Short mmCIF file of all heavy atoms in Angstrom, two decimals:
data_model
loop_
_atom_site.label_atom_id
_atom_site.label_comp_id
_atom_site.label_asym_id
_atom_site.label_seq_id
_atom_site.Cartn_x
_atom_site.Cartn_y
_atom_site.Cartn_z
N ARG A 223 -15.41 -31.99 -14.32
CA ARG A 223 -14.74 -33.14 -14.95
C ARG A 223 -15.11 -33.18 -16.43
O ARG A 223 -16.06 -32.59 -16.90
CB ARG A 223 -15.18 -34.44 -14.28
CG ARG A 223 -14.65 -34.60 -12.88
CD ARG A 223 -14.99 -35.99 -12.30
NE ARG A 223 -14.35 -36.21 -11.05
CZ ARG A 223 -13.09 -36.66 -10.91
NH1 ARG A 223 -12.38 -36.94 -11.96
NH2 ARG A 223 -12.64 -36.83 -9.67
N GLU A 224 -14.31 -33.93 -17.19
CA GLU A 224 -14.55 -34.11 -18.59
C GLU A 224 -15.63 -35.19 -18.81
O GLU A 224 -16.09 -35.86 -17.86
CB GLU A 224 -13.24 -34.56 -19.29
CG GLU A 224 -12.15 -33.54 -19.18
CD GLU A 224 -12.53 -32.22 -19.74
OE1 GLU A 224 -12.77 -32.08 -20.95
OE2 GLU A 224 -12.61 -31.24 -18.93
N ALA A 225 -16.04 -35.32 -20.06
CA ALA A 225 -17.10 -36.28 -20.40
C ALA A 225 -16.64 -37.74 -20.05
O ALA A 225 -17.48 -38.58 -19.70
CB ALA A 225 -17.51 -36.18 -21.87
N ASP A 226 -15.35 -37.98 -20.19
CA ASP A 226 -14.85 -39.34 -19.93
C ASP A 226 -14.52 -39.53 -18.46
O ASP A 226 -13.95 -40.58 -18.07
CB ASP A 226 -13.61 -39.64 -20.78
CG ASP A 226 -12.49 -38.63 -20.57
OD1 ASP A 226 -12.66 -37.68 -19.77
OD2 ASP A 226 -11.46 -38.79 -21.20
N GLY A 227 -14.79 -38.54 -17.61
CA GLY A 227 -14.50 -38.66 -16.19
C GLY A 227 -13.16 -38.18 -15.74
O GLY A 227 -12.87 -38.17 -14.55
N SER A 228 -12.25 -37.78 -16.66
CA SER A 228 -10.95 -37.31 -16.29
C SER A 228 -11.02 -35.89 -15.72
O SER A 228 -11.98 -35.15 -15.92
CB SER A 228 -10.00 -37.36 -17.51
OG SER A 228 -10.48 -36.51 -18.52
N SER A 229 -9.95 -35.51 -15.07
CA SER A 229 -9.92 -34.20 -14.41
C SER A 229 -9.68 -33.06 -15.37
O SER A 229 -10.03 -31.90 -15.13
CB SER A 229 -8.87 -34.18 -13.34
OG SER A 229 -7.56 -34.40 -13.89
N GLY A 230 -9.00 -33.32 -16.51
CA GLY A 230 -8.68 -32.29 -17.47
C GLY A 230 -7.53 -31.38 -17.10
O GLY A 230 -7.43 -30.22 -17.59
N LEU A 231 -6.70 -31.88 -16.19
CA LEU A 231 -5.60 -31.06 -15.70
C LEU A 231 -4.42 -31.02 -16.71
O LEU A 231 -3.58 -30.10 -16.64
CB LEU A 231 -5.09 -31.55 -14.35
CG LEU A 231 -6.06 -31.42 -13.13
CD1 LEU A 231 -5.42 -32.02 -11.91
CD2 LEU A 231 -6.41 -29.99 -12.95
N ARG A 232 -4.37 -32.01 -17.64
CA ARG A 232 -3.24 -32.05 -18.55
C ARG A 232 -3.22 -30.79 -19.47
O ARG A 232 -2.18 -30.14 -19.59
CB ARG A 232 -3.32 -33.33 -19.40
CG ARG A 232 -2.14 -33.38 -20.42
CD ARG A 232 -2.22 -34.68 -21.18
NE ARG A 232 -2.11 -35.86 -20.29
CZ ARG A 232 -2.16 -37.11 -20.74
NH1 ARG A 232 -2.39 -37.41 -22.00
NH2 ARG A 232 -2.01 -38.11 -19.87
N SER A 233 -4.35 -30.46 -20.06
CA SER A 233 -4.36 -29.29 -20.97
C SER A 233 -4.15 -28.01 -20.16
O SER A 233 -3.51 -27.09 -20.61
CB SER A 233 -5.68 -29.23 -21.72
OG SER A 233 -6.78 -29.06 -20.82
N LEU A 234 -4.65 -27.96 -18.91
CA LEU A 234 -4.41 -26.81 -18.09
C LEU A 234 -2.93 -26.66 -17.76
O LEU A 234 -2.33 -25.58 -17.79
CB LEU A 234 -5.20 -26.89 -16.79
CG LEU A 234 -4.96 -25.76 -15.75
CD1 LEU A 234 -5.36 -24.41 -16.36
CD2 LEU A 234 -5.74 -26.03 -14.48
N GLY A 235 -2.26 -27.81 -17.47
CA GLY A 235 -0.82 -27.75 -17.19
C GLY A 235 -0.04 -27.29 -18.44
O GLY A 235 0.94 -26.54 -18.28
N LEU A 236 -0.44 -27.78 -19.62
CA LEU A 236 0.27 -27.36 -20.83
C LEU A 236 0.08 -25.83 -21.09
O LEU A 236 1.01 -25.15 -21.45
CB LEU A 236 -0.23 -28.18 -22.03
CG LEU A 236 0.09 -29.66 -22.01
CD1 LEU A 236 -0.52 -30.37 -23.21
CD2 LEU A 236 1.66 -29.87 -22.07
N LEU A 237 -1.14 -25.36 -20.90
CA LEU A 237 -1.40 -23.93 -21.08
C LEU A 237 -0.60 -23.10 -20.07
O LEU A 237 -0.05 -22.08 -20.43
CB LEU A 237 -2.89 -23.66 -20.96
CG LEU A 237 -3.33 -22.21 -21.10
CD1 LEU A 237 -2.99 -21.68 -22.52
CD2 LEU A 237 -4.83 -22.04 -20.83
N PHE A 238 -0.58 -23.58 -18.85
CA PHE A 238 0.17 -22.87 -17.78
C PHE A 238 1.66 -22.88 -18.11
O PHE A 238 2.33 -21.85 -17.99
CB PHE A 238 -0.08 -23.56 -16.45
CG PHE A 238 0.64 -22.91 -15.31
CD1 PHE A 238 0.25 -21.70 -14.77
CD2 PHE A 238 1.77 -23.53 -14.77
CE1 PHE A 238 0.92 -21.13 -13.71
CE2 PHE A 238 2.50 -22.95 -13.71
CZ PHE A 238 2.08 -21.77 -13.17
N ALA A 239 2.17 -24.02 -18.55
CA ALA A 239 3.64 -24.09 -18.88
C ALA A 239 4.00 -23.14 -20.03
O ALA A 239 4.99 -22.47 -20.00
CB ALA A 239 4.01 -25.53 -19.17
N ALA A 240 3.12 -23.13 -21.06
CA ALA A 240 3.40 -22.27 -22.22
C ALA A 240 3.35 -20.79 -21.79
O ALA A 240 4.21 -20.00 -22.22
CB ALA A 240 2.38 -22.55 -23.32
N SER A 241 2.39 -20.45 -20.95
CA SER A 241 2.29 -19.05 -20.53
C SER A 241 3.47 -18.64 -19.67
O SER A 241 4.02 -17.57 -19.81
CB SER A 241 1.00 -18.85 -19.71
OG SER A 241 -0.14 -19.15 -20.51
N VAL A 242 3.90 -19.54 -18.73
CA VAL A 242 5.03 -19.26 -17.87
C VAL A 242 6.30 -19.11 -18.71
O VAL A 242 7.13 -18.19 -18.50
CB VAL A 242 5.19 -20.34 -16.80
CG1 VAL A 242 6.51 -20.19 -16.06
CG2 VAL A 242 4.03 -20.25 -15.83
N ALA A 243 6.46 -20.02 -19.68
CA ALA A 243 7.67 -19.92 -20.55
C ALA A 243 7.70 -18.60 -21.32
O ALA A 243 8.75 -17.96 -21.42
CB ALA A 243 7.66 -21.13 -21.55
N LEU A 244 6.52 -18.21 -21.84
CA LEU A 244 6.50 -16.92 -22.56
C LEU A 244 6.79 -15.75 -21.62
O LEU A 244 7.53 -14.82 -21.97
CB LEU A 244 5.13 -16.75 -23.17
CG LEU A 244 4.89 -15.44 -24.01
CD1 LEU A 244 5.87 -15.39 -25.18
CD2 LEU A 244 3.48 -15.35 -24.47
N GLY A 245 6.24 -15.82 -20.39
CA GLY A 245 6.50 -14.79 -19.41
C GLY A 245 7.97 -14.68 -19.07
O GLY A 245 8.53 -13.60 -18.97
N PHE A 246 8.62 -15.85 -18.81
CA PHE A 246 10.03 -15.85 -18.48
C PHE A 246 10.87 -15.33 -19.70
O PHE A 246 11.83 -14.56 -19.51
CB PHE A 246 10.52 -17.24 -18.14
CG PHE A 246 10.39 -17.51 -16.64
CD1 PHE A 246 9.46 -18.42 -16.21
CD2 PHE A 246 11.24 -16.92 -15.76
CE1 PHE A 246 9.31 -18.70 -14.83
CE2 PHE A 246 11.15 -17.19 -14.38
CZ PHE A 246 10.16 -18.05 -13.94
N GLY A 247 10.52 -15.73 -20.89
CA GLY A 247 11.22 -15.25 -22.06
C GLY A 247 11.12 -13.74 -22.22
O GLY A 247 12.06 -13.06 -22.53
N TRP A 248 9.90 -13.21 -21.97
CA TRP A 248 9.71 -11.76 -22.06
C TRP A 248 10.48 -11.03 -20.98
O TRP A 248 11.06 -9.99 -21.21
CB TRP A 248 8.24 -11.46 -21.96
CG TRP A 248 7.95 -9.99 -22.16
CD1 TRP A 248 7.90 -9.01 -21.24
CD2 TRP A 248 7.71 -9.37 -23.43
NE1 TRP A 248 7.65 -7.81 -21.82
CE2 TRP A 248 7.52 -7.96 -23.15
CE3 TRP A 248 7.60 -9.82 -24.75
CZ2 TRP A 248 7.27 -7.08 -24.17
CZ3 TRP A 248 7.33 -8.92 -25.76
CH2 TRP A 248 7.18 -7.56 -25.45
N ALA A 249 10.54 -11.60 -19.76
CA ALA A 249 11.31 -11.01 -18.68
C ALA A 249 12.76 -10.87 -19.02
O ALA A 249 13.44 -9.88 -18.77
CB ALA A 249 11.10 -11.79 -17.37
N HIS A 250 13.29 -11.98 -19.61
CA HIS A 250 14.75 -11.96 -19.95
C HIS A 250 15.07 -11.05 -21.12
O HIS A 250 16.15 -10.49 -21.20
CB HIS A 250 15.21 -13.39 -20.29
CG HIS A 250 15.39 -14.26 -19.04
ND1 HIS A 250 16.40 -14.07 -18.15
CD2 HIS A 250 14.67 -15.31 -18.59
CE1 HIS A 250 16.31 -14.96 -17.19
NE2 HIS A 250 15.24 -15.72 -17.43
N GLY A 251 14.07 -10.83 -21.98
CA GLY A 251 14.35 -9.97 -23.16
C GLY A 251 13.74 -8.59 -23.03
O GLY A 251 13.83 -7.84 -24.04
N TYR A 252 13.20 -8.23 -21.87
CA TYR A 252 12.54 -6.97 -21.74
C TYR A 252 13.52 -5.77 -21.86
O TYR A 252 13.21 -4.78 -22.50
CB TYR A 252 11.80 -6.89 -20.42
CG TYR A 252 10.88 -5.69 -20.26
CD1 TYR A 252 9.94 -5.33 -21.25
CD2 TYR A 252 10.99 -4.86 -19.14
CE1 TYR A 252 9.18 -4.23 -21.13
CE2 TYR A 252 10.15 -3.74 -18.99
CZ TYR A 252 9.29 -3.41 -19.98
OH TYR A 252 8.51 -2.33 -19.88
N ASP A 253 14.68 -5.94 -21.22
CA ASP A 253 15.70 -4.87 -21.33
C ASP A 253 16.12 -4.69 -22.77
O ASP A 253 16.33 -3.52 -23.25
CB ASP A 253 16.91 -5.21 -20.46
CG ASP A 253 16.60 -5.06 -18.97
OD1 ASP A 253 15.54 -4.49 -18.64
OD2 ASP A 253 17.39 -5.55 -18.13
N ALA A 254 16.31 -5.76 -23.49
CA ALA A 254 16.69 -5.64 -24.91
C ALA A 254 15.56 -4.99 -25.75
O ALA A 254 15.87 -4.15 -26.63
CB ALA A 254 17.00 -7.03 -25.48
N PHE A 255 14.33 -5.27 -25.37
CA PHE A 255 13.23 -4.63 -26.09
C PHE A 255 13.23 -3.12 -25.82
O PHE A 255 13.03 -2.32 -26.76
CB PHE A 255 11.90 -5.25 -25.63
CG PHE A 255 10.68 -4.49 -26.08
CD1 PHE A 255 10.26 -4.58 -27.40
CD2 PHE A 255 9.95 -3.70 -25.19
CE1 PHE A 255 9.11 -3.89 -27.83
CE2 PHE A 255 8.84 -2.97 -25.58
CZ PHE A 255 8.43 -3.10 -26.93
N LEU A 256 13.43 -2.74 -24.56
CA LEU A 256 13.46 -1.32 -24.23
C LEU A 256 14.62 -0.61 -24.91
O LEU A 256 14.49 0.56 -25.39
CB LEU A 256 13.52 -1.12 -22.74
CG LEU A 256 12.30 -1.55 -21.90
CD1 LEU A 256 12.56 -1.32 -20.40
CD2 LEU A 256 11.06 -0.78 -22.36
N THR A 257 15.77 -1.31 -24.99
CA THR A 257 16.92 -0.76 -25.66
C THR A 257 16.67 -0.52 -27.15
O THR A 257 17.01 0.53 -27.73
CB THR A 257 18.15 -1.66 -25.47
OG1 THR A 257 18.44 -1.78 -24.05
CG2 THR A 257 19.35 -1.06 -26.17
N TRP A 258 16.00 -1.49 -27.79
CA TRP A 258 15.66 -1.36 -29.21
C TRP A 258 14.65 -0.25 -29.42
O TRP A 258 14.73 0.54 -30.36
CB TRP A 258 15.13 -2.69 -29.70
CG TRP A 258 14.50 -2.58 -31.07
CD1 TRP A 258 15.17 -2.58 -32.27
CD2 TRP A 258 13.09 -2.46 -31.36
NE1 TRP A 258 14.22 -2.45 -33.30
CE2 TRP A 258 12.99 -2.40 -32.81
CE3 TRP A 258 11.97 -2.41 -30.60
CZ2 TRP A 258 11.73 -2.22 -33.42
CZ3 TRP A 258 10.73 -2.27 -31.22
CH2 TRP A 258 10.64 -2.20 -32.62
N ARG A 259 13.66 -0.16 -28.53
CA ARG A 259 12.63 0.88 -28.67
C ARG A 259 13.15 2.27 -28.52
O ARG A 259 12.80 3.21 -29.23
CB ARG A 259 11.50 0.61 -27.66
CG ARG A 259 10.27 1.45 -27.83
CD ARG A 259 9.35 1.39 -26.65
NE ARG A 259 9.98 1.93 -25.45
CZ ARG A 259 9.36 1.94 -24.22
NH1 ARG A 259 8.20 1.38 -24.06
NH2 ARG A 259 10.02 2.46 -23.18
N ASP A 260 13.99 2.49 -27.49
CA ASP A 260 14.50 3.84 -27.16
C ASP A 260 15.83 4.18 -27.81
O ASP A 260 16.38 5.27 -27.57
CB ASP A 260 14.61 4.00 -25.65
CG ASP A 260 13.28 3.86 -24.94
OD1 ASP A 260 12.23 4.16 -25.63
OD2 ASP A 260 13.22 3.50 -23.76
N LYS A 261 16.41 3.22 -28.58
CA LYS A 261 17.68 3.46 -29.27
C LYS A 261 18.81 3.83 -28.33
O LYS A 261 19.74 4.57 -28.69
CB LYS A 261 17.51 4.58 -30.30
CG LYS A 261 16.32 4.39 -31.29
CD LYS A 261 16.41 3.12 -32.04
CE LYS A 261 15.22 3.03 -33.02
NZ LYS A 261 15.20 1.71 -33.70
N GLN A 262 18.76 3.35 -27.10
CA GLN A 262 19.82 3.57 -26.14
C GLN A 262 19.74 2.49 -25.03
O GLN A 262 18.64 1.94 -24.84
CB GLN A 262 19.73 4.96 -25.49
CG GLN A 262 18.41 5.24 -24.79
CD GLN A 262 18.38 6.60 -24.17
OE1 GLN A 262 19.42 7.25 -23.99
NE2 GLN A 262 17.18 7.08 -23.83
N PRO A 263 20.84 2.18 -24.39
CA PRO A 263 20.81 1.13 -23.34
C PRO A 263 19.83 1.46 -22.26
O PRO A 263 19.82 2.54 -21.71
CB PRO A 263 22.24 1.11 -22.79
CG PRO A 263 23.08 1.69 -23.91
CD PRO A 263 22.23 2.72 -24.60
N MET A 264 18.92 0.55 -21.96
CA MET A 264 17.89 0.72 -20.95
C MET A 264 17.86 -0.52 -20.04
O MET A 264 18.08 -1.65 -20.48
CB MET A 264 16.49 0.91 -21.62
CG MET A 264 16.42 2.15 -22.44
SD MET A 264 16.42 3.68 -21.51
CE MET A 264 14.92 3.53 -20.58
#
Side-chain angles (χ1 to χ4, degrees):
R223 290 185 174 275
E224 299 303 294
D226 58 359
S228 61
S229 62
L231 294 178
R232 178 178 299 177
S233 62
L234 177 61
L236 292 175
L237 179 63
F238 179 76
S241 301
V242 169
L244 181 61
F246 270 110
W248 186 269
H250 285 289
Y252 188 52
D253 288 346
F255 169 76
L256 293 179
T257 300
W258 169 81
R259 187 192 66 182
D260 297 334
K261 310 300 182 185
Q262 58 179 343
M264 297 291 293

